Amino acid sequence: MRIGVVAPARGIDRATADRAVDFAAMMAPNARLVIHPQCLLSDGHFAGADADRAAAFIDIANDPHIDAVWFARGGYGSNRIIPDVIGRLTDVAKAKTYLGYSDAGFLLAALYARDIGRPVHGPMLADINRPGGEAAVARALAWLTMGDRGTLEAGLDGRPHAAFNLTILAGLVGTPWLPDLTGHVLIIEEVAEPLYRIDRMLCQVARADQLRGIAGVRLGRIEDIQPNDPIWGEDIATMINRWCAEMGVPYLGTADVGHDAGNKIVPFGVT
């Protein structure tokens, strides 16, 4: 199996790429990581200019010798290339799994909205640098190579699911790239935001006409909460219950996803 790696947002360095290739060779000897040279480019914040990142994604997605597409890391930038790539994907691209989270959620959403491939929320290659990150990468490889159900988030219950970072979900609202999530259980997670910004994004999501008809909301980890000045008066549980009530959907509890090595696999749709 050949797993193509692209970086639609920020890039990785050679040491990270080499470490992941060596680890994959040990953990999944039946697989080969094919890291596109674009992953190592640098153009300010981005792993190459928009055109470079779009071209690399198209190369990997449309390559008949690549079996799955794995995003190298998040950051920011995936949303900028969607219009340049989504209409140029062939039937080859429609047969592949696409794995990532965080900023990669923009592309996962656009692919799901157009019924292209099998978008999956889960660990990325650069997670190997996190504390305990080898476990996250091993989980990703086990899903991509074997479809190992032991890697799945334990609360998937047969209903269709979708998982997003809250900032990315809020950024999708009002765009043509937000898929129809009617009947889906929506999982959200967030990192490194103060509580007032989390509340503002929950407000936008709860009042978005595009999200009417979801089956409910589950809450992944809200990590590294930044200080609020003045002190915020609600905890996360109170906030999510209040916004679910306004949205008219049930709050269905927590989910084992987040910006950490424990991030479990959530395929979009019915598992």
Side-chain angles (χ1 to χ4, degrees), residues 47-122:
D50 289 356
D52 296 322
R53 303 194 317 280
F57 182 83
I58 293 165
D59 284 348
I60 290 293
N62 287 345
D63 187 339
H65 303 295
I66 297 294
D67 301 295
V69 180
W70 195 18
F71 297 116
R73 65 173 297 173
Y76 171 69
S78 302
N79 56 326
R80 290 168 50 138
I81 70 170
I82 293 173
D84 296 326
V85 304
I86 206 71
R88 297 169 63 187
L89 300 178
T90 67
D91 287 344
V92 171
K94 295 179 181 179
K96 294 179 181 175
T97 295
Y98 299 82
L99 177 64
Y101 70 106
S102 190
D103 189 75
F106 280 118
L107 281 165
L108 297 178
L111 292 166
Y112 194 52
R114 299 301 186 274
D115 196 24
I116 298 172
R118 297 176 294 276
V120 180
H121 183 283

Side-chain angles (χ1 to χ4, degrees), residues 113-160:
R114 299 301 186 274
D115 196 24
I116 298 172
R118 297 176 294 276
V120 180
H121 183 283
M124 293 183 286
L125 181 146
D127 285 330
I128 200 166
N129 292 326
R130 293 186 183 277
E134 289 186 348
V137 171
R139 186 179 311 117
L141 292 169
W143 175 258
L144 288 171
T145 60
M146 300 182 293
D148 181 359
R149 296 185 67 85
T151 66
L152 295 173
E153 203 283 327
L156 304 184
D157 59 5
R159 289 181 289 184

Side-chain angles (χ1 to χ4, degrees), residues 25-244:
M26 177 179 63
M27 294 300 299
N30 62 324
R32 177 188 169 197
L33 294 190
V34 180
I35 298 180
H36 197 286
Q38 169 268 326
C39 294
L40 306 177
L41 295 180
S42 178
D43 184 3
H45 174 92
F46 305 105
D50 289 356
D52 296 322
R53 303 194 317 280
F57 182 83
I58 293 165
D59 284 348
I60 290 293
N62 287 345
D63 187 339
H65 303 295
I66 297 294
D67 301 295
V69 180
W70 195 18
F71 297 116
R73 65 173 297 173
Y76 171 69
S78 302
N79 56 326
R80 290 168 50 138
I81 70 170
I82 293 173
D84 296 326
V85 304
I86 206 71
R88 297 169 63 187
L89 300 178
T90 67
D91 287 344
V92 171
K94 295 179 181 179
K96 294 179 181 175
T97 295
Y98 299 82
L99 177 64
Y101 70 106
S102 190
D103 189 75
F106 280 118
L107 281 165
L108 297 178
L111 292 166
Y112 194 52
R114 299 301 186 274
D115 196 24
I116 298 172
R118 297 176 294 276
V120 180
H121 183 283
M124 293 183 286
L125 181 146
D127 285 330
I128 200 166
N129 292 326
R130 293 186 183 277
E134 289 186 348
V137 171
R139 186 179 311 117
L141 292 169
W143 175 258
L144 288 171
T145 60
M146 300 182 293
D148 181 359
R149 296 185 67 85
T151 66
L152 295 173
E153 203 283 327
L156 304 184
D157 59 5
R159 289 181 289 184
H161 280 68
F164 292 99
N165 172 265
L166 179 58
T167 295
I168 305 308
L169 179 62
L172 284 162
V173 168
T175 74
W177 315 122
L178 181 63
D180 180 2
L181 297 178
T182 301
H184 288 59
V185 175
L186 177 62
I187 299 176
I188 54 176
E189 53 85 14
E190 190 52 88
V191 65
E193 295 284 359
L195 289 171
Y196 86 89
R197 290 185 187 172
I198 294 172
D199 190 72
R200 182 168 61 196
M201 290 184 287
L202 288 172
C203 174
Q204 182 178 5
V205 167
R207 294 173 179 172
D209 289 340
Q210 286 173 291
L211 291 172
R212 298 300 178 197
I214 65 171
V217 175
R218 296 176 62 204
L219 187 64
R221 285 179 284 282
I222 308 296
E223 302 174 292
D224 191 23
I225 296 172
Q226 299 300 297
N228 218 97
D229 183 17
I231 298 297
W232 187 256
E234 292 178 311
D235 59 22
I236 291 291
T238 301
M239 291 161 62
I240 192 67
N241 275 284
R242 175 166 52 80
W243 286 117
C244 282

